[in-house]
Amino acid sequence: VLLKLCEPFLDPAFAKVDSIDSGYFVASSRMDLSKDTKLAATSDETASWIDVRNPSRAQNWRVQQQMQSGGINAAPAPGSPAAVAPGSPARPSASDTSVPAPNFITECFFLTMRCMHLGYIKTLGRLEKLGKTYHDTNNAKKELEDSKSQWMGTPAAAETQAQLDQLTKQLDDVSRSRFCIEAQLFDRPVLDVALRYYLTSAVWML
């Protein structure tokens, strides 16, 4: 759905890329990224970046960080930026009016980025793990089949045959999972829009 909403500004000329506001996470509290990993940035540096455009939200961010780490126990005053239940999005205060609300294109762009990261990209990682599992399981099965003449007729034959049957079942299960995921991820229309979205993202970042 989000990819469909993004389609109007995924044009080949990238005419609407300039409409994407890079300060989205300052102007909006729709997504909580406080627990996400920051690359090459300490907590103080993150707060200082936020402070450039919205001092009140920066203070709220610092207070929530202290509350989560157990640094303070006192409840913030009602109506203050920090008077928000832990884990819930911060509500803009009266002083936030200096920061304009993000436009629709910006909202769609960043929400899609988040969902693609948590959904599509994560599923690609799962597919890669399934491929490795299939490869390892298939090798183990092949070893047992190649040595069948050695263990057939021995006391361990029944147990080894059970292992072989179990490996065969695991291969079938992994194959089904891979086919189901591939059918979704590599659906041509979805893949086409996803590639155009990431191409637009690359142009925007550059």
Side-chain angles (χ1 to χ4, degrees), residues 32 64 67-68 76 81-91:
D32 180 15
Q64 287 197 2
M67 291 177 66
Q68 290 174 2
V84 182
S88 62
R91 292 184 176 85

Side-chain angles (χ1 to χ4, degrees), residues 59-142:
Q59 178 60 27
N60 174 58
W61 183 85
R62 290 191 184 95
V63 171
Q64 287 197 2
Q65 290 294 305
Q66 292 175 344
M67 291 177 66
Q68 290 174 2
S69 63
I72 59 175
N73 295 319
S80 67
V84 182
S88 62
R91 292 184 176 85
S93 65
S95 59
D96 288 339
T97 54
S98 59
V99 181
N103 58 53
F104 183 72
I105 290 178
T106 300
E107 287 274 13
C108 289
F109 178 81
F110 283 102
L111 287 175
T112 303
M113 179 70 74
R114 183 67 168 171
C115 288
M116 290 292 283
H117 178 70
L118 296 177
Y120 200 94
I121 301 302
K122 186 174 182 179
T123 307
L124 281 174
R126 185 186 173 194
L127 182 62
E128 184 179 358
K129 290 180 180 178
L130 284 173
K132 185 177 184 303
T133 299
Y134 182 90
H135 177 75
D136 294 343
T137 305
N138 190 51
N139 285 344
K141 178 188 175 185
K142 190 172 184 303

